[in-house]
Amino acid sequence: MTGFPRGRTAIVAAATHGIGECPGFHETDLAAHAGLKALDRAGLTPADVDGLWIAQPTDMLAGLSFAQYLGIHPRIIGNNRVGGSSFLTHMHEAALALDAGLIDVALIAYGSNQRSSTGKLVSTARPDPWDGPYKPVLPVAAYAFAAARHMHQYGTTPEQLAEVAVAARGWAKLNPEAFMRGDLSVDDVLSARRVADPLGVRDCCLVTDGAAAIVMTRADRAKDHAKVPAHVLGIAAATTHMQVSSMADLTVSAAAESGPRAMAQAGVKPSDFDVVELYDAFSINTLLFLEDLGFCKKGEGGDFVSGGRIAPGGSLPVNTNGGGLSCVHPGMYGLFTVVEAVEQLAGTAGERQIEGAKLALSHANGGFLSSQVTAVLGAPETV
């Protein structure tokens, strides 16, 4: 018994809006546009939504204000905020509520105008009384700590981290929606301006506007709303700390717990996945998560990504939309990993489509490697 309703709920539509620069729109406008697109693709309207989940950058009561914006009266509202992984925790809650019959249609949405409004990546974390006096530039300093430790402990090189960014750019060049699609080489990454040693600006996520949304129903009605629903086969979360200085090991995230649990629920193993979507706020994230989720052994992430293995044409397609490094990162990226996984399973990803993709992994990160949530999504034949 895993306790999770394997395959009994499904994502029937996904959408994005305003990726890149979308001036003149409030963050809630962007979320609404993405939500309405997704509902329309599922043949639904806001009036059909009785479960609503949202976490907005500047609105602590976004569940209430977004319901009012859409003109709906949901039975359940979720506003859980754990950073970029919030939206996969929303999926977890929505799947349980749907399976229990508490709701019939769940809408999960997010929007941010971070690029248009501030032009910089904004951390909403409170200053830490112990780390604060040292004035770390967060969030990048936290991930630089992890990168430096991984390099020291396992011999990971700047060139290997650069391969992550180059692979993401390779996928972005196949995605007309991606914000950065120009050529990028390992040398370009290594020569870019340093931000927090050992990370340079090309090791860091973009600062963009953008919104994403998904619609979930029970599996018994999924085919009424999607040609190829993405069934939720497993979701698991794990949290180990808030501040990175409280990590027991800077090279091991809670994905080492969430990943195996989600895969056990789904009855799959790492080698079964056709496509992998990881929260790549920084290049070190991709290495850590590939290791922690079991795609390679701890310390071998640098070697694993070398030689274009996770790039277009490689043996493991990772971050096929271009990721947070080259496609979109409006402050919180987690929901975009789900949208891309859904598109790959539906066969609607255009030039970047992975032929025959039936099983996808979506993994999101929140805080400073703090909250990790892993979801396993499958085409109907995997249920």
Side-chain angles (χ1 to χ4, degrees):
M1 291 290 292
T2 67
F4 185 82
R6 182 191 187 278
R8 298 207 295 265
T9 63
I11 301 168
V12 295
T16 60
H17 184 79
I19 283 181
E21 293 179 322
C22 197
F25 289 87
H26 187 270
E27 61 190 45
T28 307
D29 298 326
L30 296 175
H33 275 287
L36 292 172
K37 279 184 183 179
L39 287 167
D40 184 64
R41 289 173 183 175
L44 297 165
T45 69
D48 296 306
V49 175
D50 51 7
L52 179 65
W53 280 263
I54 188 166
Q56 291 293 86
T58 64
D59 186 356
M60 294 300 293
L61 300 178
L64 302 180
S65 57
F66 197 55
Q68 176 178 277
Y69 190 110
L70 295 178
I72 61 176
H73 301 162
R75 298 177 184 177
I76 296 178
I77 290 177
N79 195 191
N80 185 10
R81 299 173 66 91
V82 286
S85 58
S86 299
F87 313 99
L88 272 71
T89 70
H90 297 170
M91 281 177 57
H92 197 176
E93 295 169 4
L96 297 177
L98 285 162
D99 187 61
L102 301 177
I103 60 172
D104 295 316
V105 175
L107 173 64
I108 302 172
Y110 167 69
S112 170
N113 60 350
Q114 192 160 98
R115 185 178 182 88
S116 296
S117 62
T118 68
K120 61 182 180 180
L121 189 64
V122 178
S123 174
T124 57
R126 292 187 303 171
D128 181 74
W130 309 112
D131 298 349
Y134 297 96
K135 302 185 185 306
V137 179
L138 296 173
V140 63
Y143 292 88
F145 273 129
R149 182 63 192 177
H150 203 278
M151 288 177 163
H152 171 77
Q153 192 162 328
Y154 298 111
T156 307
T157 67
E159 288 80 6
Q160 290 170 335
L161 288 179
E163 290 247 22
V164 172
V166 171
R169 184 62 60 85
W171 288 111
K173 290 171 73 171
L174 302 177
N175 181 5
E177 199 173 34
F179 185 58
M180 296 194 74
R181 303 180 64 207
D183 292 340
L184 185 71
S185 68
V186 169
D187 286 342
D188 292 333
V189 178
L190 297 178
S191 62
R193 173 176 58 86
R194 297 294 92 186
V195 180
D197 193 61
L199 302 179
V201 69
R202 294 292 164 244
D203 292 293
C204 301
C205 61
L206 304 174
V207 178
T208 69
D209 299 334
I214 61 171
V215 178
M216 294 176 63
T217 67
R218 281 183 292 279
D220 58 5
R221 62 180 291 186
K223 274 295 182 75
D224 296 334
H225 301 288
K227 184 177 180 180
V228 185
H231 288 258
V232 183
L233 305 180
I235 305 180
T239 302
T240 51
H241 62 280
M242 172 56 186
Q243 299 298 333
V244 72
S245 56
S246 293
M247 286 183 75
D249 184 336
L250 285 166
T251 70
V252 180
S253 78
E257 300 173 30
S258 65
R261 281 196 276 117
M263 292 182 208
Q265 291 168 1
V268 301
K269 57 187 182 300
S271 60
D272 293 329
F273 287 98
D274 300 304
V275 62
V276 176
E277 308 298 339
L278 305 175
Y279 196 123
D280 59 339
F282 301 92
S283 55
I284 186 61
N285 291 41
T286 301
L287 294 192
L288 294 180
F289 298 152
L290 286 170
E291 294 172 350
D292 292 340
L293 294 169
F295 291 95
C296 60
K297 293 181 180 179
K298 178 54 62 180
E300 295 182 0
D303 286 336
F304 186 84
V305 302
S306 297
R309 179 177 281 170
I310 64 172
S315 59
L316 182 67
V318 174
N319 295 343
T320 50
N321 62 345
L325 291 172
S326 280
C327 179
V328 58
H329 197 292
M332 294 190 284
Y333 175 68
L335 194 51
F336 295 91
T337 69
V338 180
V339 171
E340 179 64 13
V342 170
E343 290 201 11
Q344 288 288 342
L345 295 178
T348 58
E351 285 189 70
R352 65 189 189 280
Q353 178 65 48
I354 305 306
E355 186 176 355
K358 302 299 180 186
L359 191 69
L361 182 142
S362 168
H363 180 80
N365 162 72
F368 309 117
L369 293 170
S370 313
S371 166
Q372 305 298 324
V373 191
T374 310
V376 179
L377 303 178
E381 54 264 51
T382 65
V383 177

